[in-house]
Amino acid sequence: MSVVNGKRDAAWFGVEPDDGAFALEAGKGSEGPFAGVVFNRPVDQVFTYRVPSRLSALLRAGHRVSVPLGRGNKPAVGYVVRVDPGLPEGVTPGRIKDVLEVLDDPPLIDGPMLELTRWMAGYYACAWGQALDAVVPAGVKKQAGTRVGTYLVVPEEVAARRDEVLAELPAKQAEVLATLLRGDEPLTAADVGRMAKCGPGPIASLRQRGLLHTVKRRARKRSAGADAPDDANDTGVKQRPALTAEQQQVLDALTPALTADAFATFLIHGVTGSGKTEVYLSAIEAVVARGREAIVLVPEISLTPQTIRRFKRRFSRVAVLHSHLSDAERHRHWQSIASGEVEVVVGARSAVFAPARRLGLIVIDEEHESTFKQETTPRYHARDIAVKRAQLEGLPVLLGSATPALETWRNAELGRYTKLSLLERVGNRPMPEVGLIDLRHEKAPLGGLSDTLRRAMIEALEAKGQVILLLNRRGFHTFVICPNPQCGQVLKCDSCDVSLTYHKQRRLLICHACDAERQRPPSCPNCRSTNLHYGGIGTERLEREVLLAFPDHRVRRMDSDTMRSPGSHEAVLSAFKAGEVDILLGTQMIAKGLDFPNVTLVGVVNADTALHMPDFRAAERTFQLVAQVAGRTGRGDRPGRVLVQTCSPDVPAIAHAAHHDYEGFVATELPQRQQLGMPPYGRLVRVIVRGPDEPVVRDTIEAVAAAFRDAAPGSVRVAGPAPAPVLKIRNLYRYHLRLIAPTPRPLQELLRAAGSAVPMPNGVELAIDVDPTGML
Ligand code: ADP
Ligand code: ZN
Ligand code: ZN
């Protein structure tokens, strides 16, 4: 598979436009044309099929088709990536099979999306068919919420002579025909009978006269209640605050790009509370006013009604793509976006593939968030997809963050992205004052709160402020250890190389890697010592400590244990907003994007949780988390305060976060990355081999490493192989190696040359992660 360099290859797109026909009656076999078809399998090949004449008027690139595959000719679903009038070079005519059926009409994939997925396949080292399959939601492929029915249609030439024809018909038949000519959705005989209040007679007569045809086609189910109605868009006054001088400057800098139909990438680096969202809204207004559409990506956790409302207040046709949609709803949204009924698409990662056909802008809020990276094949990063899509379709991209990813920052430094800054909070609000509490000197007596933090909470609550406490670990105790000095074993999951967390409410030990649950053992499974020691503090234990210390205040915990059911997240947030909760504590869920003016104190219970991870981004993650949660306070009329508990107050990530000093952090972190050749200076590919038998996995990764070393040019360094930091997950042993190079091109070439050189033994899988965000 090749890497697209922006050039359009006419052969891929030089196909006839759709004529709207949907006739699938059998025809005679003929020579061509020929369709190139790819499959959702890890096979890097385009297969050639003959297009039978009954399909040749209809079929074009982007269609999903059913074709016979393999010796048994089992029907398989594939994607047509090209249609050629003659036989492509190197294909033997005798062995070509026919396309069986076209599965969707019009095609689900358009030309730009074909090109984007071909680039994805090359860049992320997967098959083109895998990339194509990832961009179409399952509900769309299943055509959820629709059914096949027999519909009545009036032939074009009859419709053209409408008045003349109607005048000649008996009254009932004329009424039926008029009903059909008026209808803007497909009608069955039963629909028409009901609407024109007639039996089957007039319809049959019209068919005999050749004034009606029937076609089989797929249409939306009409059954009431099958589809939830759209959330009502806010029809009230479109509220638009006057932009601040800084916001206006940023908007002015964007304006030429918003009207140019040309590719450009902007980084809006704006401190927390600086009004980035307001800038996005104005930028979107500019493109919508030109009849263009916008896609806005936000982390899934930020897709709260509060966020959605901000968009719905300003735009009348907003589609929200979140993970709780049913297949039928997702399909309906997809269709309405594809048919141009939507102005703004707001969604999480996969919304970057929304089928907007007149796209004018892509916005990525909190672009540094690692949830924009997909962790299964194709392992794409939505930010990078957005930039590529914008380049292919010729439009601007806005990346926004208070703590940009270092890759993004570097791209701005190199001039690839244009950096625009919002240095001040809206309304001249000061950034909150941040104090560090050194846990080496001041202990937290019950594990969570130091005296200083507890006293600050009392003060804030007495002044009727609200408090947010961040602890990025769920559960009650975070580990269980054997007290016997000869043993000292930490209790681990049976299937994973991960220590178990004690969840007190459920009275269970739980593995956070595979969710396996087990009872508490009476003694050490290794040496039978009793009195196992439970240690470490998670949000559940912090909640109990806070309840004990503040019995008269209302406390709510927000983590993935308490937020299981859809809507619970929002319920807590609105209770907090309404002042019905005084203290909100939780994991990183509470660190993101919330805008509550009455929060006057944020406490970070342990800033070090991510600091010692075996990951070159550990410092960056720590900085982002502390800086983001600190940004949740001081957003109203009262100043905010932040207290950060840490054992490492001098570590640059924490010290700079305490001063809201992003650039200071970058200045210490970038040279280290450069020295190590790590991103953003080097490009990284992680190759993981996993399987049930450790020696086999080890031998396989050795062979894979040897193949890469043999094929690697001088610019690529092969590091490893080594056991992955988490050796075993779900009974699969994991070994990895890393490929490092200054630019992506040699890595892609190496992956293509050697990525499948080593055959995988039974049960062993090879995963290739380009630009990995997780290193465990
Ligand atoms: P960010 O996304 O940078 O954290 P937001 O866009 O959420 O910031 O803005 C922070 C708060 O300031 C929000 O409550 C928003 O409604 C308000 N705000 C933003 N811009 C303005 C403005 N120009 N005038 C008044 N209020 C504004
Ligand atoms: Zn496990
Ligand atoms: Zn033991």
Side-chain angles (χ1 to χ4, degrees):
M1 91 197 67
S2 64
V3 182
V4 176
N5 48 18
K7 261 193 313 192
R8 273 178 186 249
D9 174 351
W12 303 97
F13 300 104
V15 198
E16 293 302 312
D18 180 30
D19 62 3
F22 200 84
L24 296 184
E25 65 277 353
K28 301 176 215 79
S30 74
E31 267 302 278
F34 297 91
V37 177
V38 297
F39 300 95
N40 178 24
R41 296 166 195 217
V43 179
D44 176 16
Q45 200 183 332
V46 178
F47 294 84
T48 300
Y49 286 87
R50 187 194 314 276
V51 183
S53 60
R54 69 188 161 86
L55 297 181
S56 61
L58 173 69
L59 188 121
R60 55 192 168 118
H63 265 126
R64 263 182 344 141
V65 288
S66 172
V67 293
L69 189 65
R71 289 227 187 99
N73 283 333
K74 269 177 66 176
V77 176
Y79 292 84
V80 176
V81 295
R82 65 177 192 233
V83 178
D84 302 308
L87 199 58
E89 239 173 83
V91 181
T92 338
R95 309 177 56 187
I96 297 186
K97 302 168 189 171
D98 277 12
V99 173
L100 301 175
E101 209 184 325
V102 172
L103 297 177
D104 333 88
D105 196 61
L108 300 179
I109 307 287
D110 64 357
M113 201 49 78
L114 271 180
E115 205 171 346
L116 182 67
T117 49
R118 188 164 62 145
W119 173 83
M120 269 172 82
Y123 188 84
Y124 291 107
C126 66
W128 194 354
Q130 291 177 304
L132 277 163
D133 208 64
V135 309
V136 185
V140 176
K141 283 178 281 206
K142 281 192 276 184
Q143 301 177 309
T146 67
R147 67 183 161 86
V148 176
T150 304
Y151 293 90
L152 302 176
V153 289
V154 182
E156 292 273 335
E157 50 301 353
V158 176
R161 295 186 296 122
R162 173 201 160 97
D163 294 345
E164 195 185 320
V165 174
L166 287 177
E168 288 169 2
L169 286 173
K172 262 301 160 199
Q173 291 182 33
E175 196 177 337
V176 167
L177 200 62
T179 304
L180 280 164
L181 286 166
R182 211 182 311 124
D184 38 21
E185 47 181 331
L187 298 174
T188 62
D191 296 333
V192 176
R194 202 176 335 106
M195 291 162 80
K197 298 191 184 58
C198 71
I203 294 173
S205 307
L206 285 168
R207 285 189 65 181
Q208 270 166 11
R209 288 170 188 256
L211 299 176
L212 275 190
H213 288 322
T214 58
V215 292
K216 272 200 192 308
R217 52 193 276 193
R218 189 172 274 283
R220 175 156 349 140
K221 276 184 198 157
R222 302 173 125 250
S223 54
D227 246 0
D230 230 345
D231 317 340
N233 278 345
D234 205 314
T235 46
V237 214
K238 311 259 181 245
Q239 304 164 337
R240 186 190 305 128
L243 295 183
T244 64
E246 250 192 347
Q247 286 171 323
Q248 189 61 50
Q249 267 173 20
V250 170
L251 187 66
D252 290 345
L254 295 173
T255 299
L258 298 173
T259 53
D261 291 326
F263 170 58
T265 308
F266 296 90
L267 166 62
I268 302 184
H269 178 217
V271 298
T272 54
S274 59
K276 293 183 286 296
T277 310
E278 215 48 55
V279 174
Y280 308 151
L281 290 166
S282 301
I284 296 167
E285 272 174 352
V287 299
V288 167
R290 302 173 56 230
R292 297 305 196 103
E293 296 141 5
I295 295 176
V296 183
L297 300 187
V298 301
E300 175 81 35
I301 195 77
S302 312
L303 268 178
T304 58
Q306 198 188 7
T307 309
I308 294 164
R309 228 175 287 126
R310 281 179 88 175
F311 286 91
K312 289 199 169 174
R313 273 201 203 116
R314 289 279 275 273
F315 302 97
S316 32
R317 291 172 294 149
V318 178
V320 181
L321 303 177
H322 56 77
S323 62
H324 297 307
L325 291 178
S326 70
D327 276 353
E329 287 168 319
R330 196 173 291 278
H331 183 206
R332 191 164 47 80
H333 279 309
W334 200 91
Q335 293 293 1
S336 56
I337 295 165
S339 59
E341 291 161 17
V342 169
E343 293 170 338
V344 184
V345 179
V346 184
R349 179 174 63 224
S350 63
V352 73
F353 301 115
R357 309 289 193 222
R358 288 168 309 179
L359 194 57
L361 175 67
I362 307 177
V363 175
I364 303 187
D365 191 26
E366 311 290 359
E367 64 82 31
H368 62 277
E369 279 283 332
S370 50
T371 56
F372 287 125
K373 179 81 160 44
Q374 163 124 325
E375 295 296 359
T376 53
T377 304
R379 295 164 180 260
Y380 67 86
H381 198 300
R383 175 189 60 223
D384 300 329
I385 295 285
V387 172
K388 189 67 197 182
R389 181 169 180 184
Q391 186 194 353
L392 292 172
E393 298 190 29
L395 49 100
V397 188
L398 307 187
L399 311 176
S401 177
T403 53
L406 292 186
E407 287 83 350
T408 304
W409 188 256
R410 179 80 183 141
N411 277 327
E413 277 187 346
L414 293 172
R416 293 188 190 133
Y417 300 170
T418 305
K419 188 181 72 163
L420 303 169
S421 302
L422 292 168
L423 302 173
E424 280 169 18
R425 286 188 154 187
V426 171
N428 290 324
R429 286 173 198 132
M431 294 300 287
E433 177 202 320
V434 181
L436 295 178
I437 299 171
D438 189 340
L439 289 178
R440 292 169 307 183
H441 303 306
E442 185 179 347
K443 293 279 173 259
L446 292 174
L449 310 176
S450 62
D451 273 348
T452 310
L453 179 52
R454 199 174 41 80
R455 276 200 306 272
M457 289 173 70
I458 295 172
E459 265 171 46
L461 294 166
E462 275 176 355
K464 299 280 175 260
Q466 288 171 298
V467 176
I468 286 180
L469 292 179
L470 170 78
L471 177 59
N472 208 10
R473 282 201 172 143
R474 62 197 179 88
F476 195 84
H477 287 292
T478 54
F479 62 88
V480 186
I481 191 168
C482 171
N484 173 1
Q486 265 83 56
C487 173
Q489 214 172 67
V490 173
L491 256 57
K492 287 195 170 178
C493 174
D494 294 332
S495 335
C496 311
D497 174 31
V498 168
S499 49
L500 292 164
T501 299
Y502 179 52
H503 287 248
K504 194 181 178 99
Q505 237 160 12
R506 307 181 59 203
R507 306 192 154 276
L508 287 170
L509 294 170
I510 299 180
C511 169
H512 286 181
C514 75
D515 297 323
E517 300 169 352
R518 63 186 254 190
Q519 302 296 324
R520 301 160 68 181
S523 59
C524 171
N526 187 40
C527 73
R528 302 285 150 215
S529 293
T530 50
N531 300 322
L532 288 171
H533 172 74
Y534 287 70
I537 176 167
T539 44
E540 212 185 327
R541 189 168 152 208
L542 177 67
E543 180 185 30
R544 195 186 62 166
E545 184 180 333
V546 171
L547 284 168
L548 283 173
F550 298 91
D552 301 328
H553 287 90
R554 295 157 300 177
V555 181
R556 289 298 290 273
R557 166 161 65 98
M558 204 160 92
D559 55 28
S560 50
D561 295 312
T562 56
M563 299 293 117
R564 271 160 198 265
S565 53
S568 47
H569 182 236
E570 173 54 19
V572 173
L573 293 185
S574 41
F576 193 57
K577 176 146 200 143
E580 294 155 13
V581 172
D582 306 307
I583 304 169
L584 179 64
L585 67 92
T587 54
Q588 50 167 342
M589 263 187 200
I590 61 166
K592 311 288 165 84
L594 306 182
D595 184 26
F596 297 121
N598 199 36
V599 174
T600 55
L601 176 67
V602 166
V604 180
V605 174
N606 182 353
D608 308 341
T609 49
L611 200 54
H612 306 295
M613 295 275 210
D615 184 330
F616 69 92
R617 288 195 182 86
E620 186 180 359
R621 295 260 159 75
T622 299
F623 176 84
Q624 285 167 348
L625 189 63
V626 174
Q628 290 286 347
V629 75
R632 298 312 116 213
T633 179
R635 296 173 79 94
D637 300 332
R638 293 195 279 169
R641 187 173 172 207
V642 184
L643 287 173
V644 177
Q645 301 190 145
T646 173
C647 291
S648 325
D650 306 323
V651 165
I654 290 174
H656 288 300
H659 292 105
H660 310 289
D661 185 5
Y662 175 81
E663 297 200 27
F665 169 68
V666 168
T668 61
E669 182 68 9
L670 279 182
Q672 297 190 28
R673 298 280 184 91
Q674 186 164 30
Q675 208 173 10
L676 298 169
M678 284 289 126
Y681 292 94
R683 292 304 188 111
L684 193 61
V685 174
R686 188 176 177 220
V687 179
I688 305 159
V689 171
R690 54 176 180 243
D693 185 19
E694 189 174 1
V696 173
V697 171
R698 207 184 302 127
D699 290 349
T700 310
I701 191 96
E702 292 288 355
V704 171
F708 279 126
R709 286 211 165 85
D710 280 350
S715 58
V716 178
R717 183 156 63 91
V718 181
V726 181
L727 176 63
K728 189 174 70 162
I729 295 180
R730 292 174 202 270
N731 285 316
L732 296 178
Y733 290 87
R734 310 158 72 243
Y735 279 69
H736 69 169
L737 58 84
R738 292 178 306 171
L739 310 173
I740 305 155
T743 58
R745 185 58 62 93
L747 290 170
Q748 287 165 12
E749 282 163 9
L750 178 59
L751 289 170
R752 212 172 311 132
S756 44
V758 177
M760 288 297 118
N762 247 346
V764 177
E765 286 176 339
L766 177 86
I768 292 175
D769 194 352
V770 176
D771 302 335
T773 47
M775 302 303 294
L776 299 180

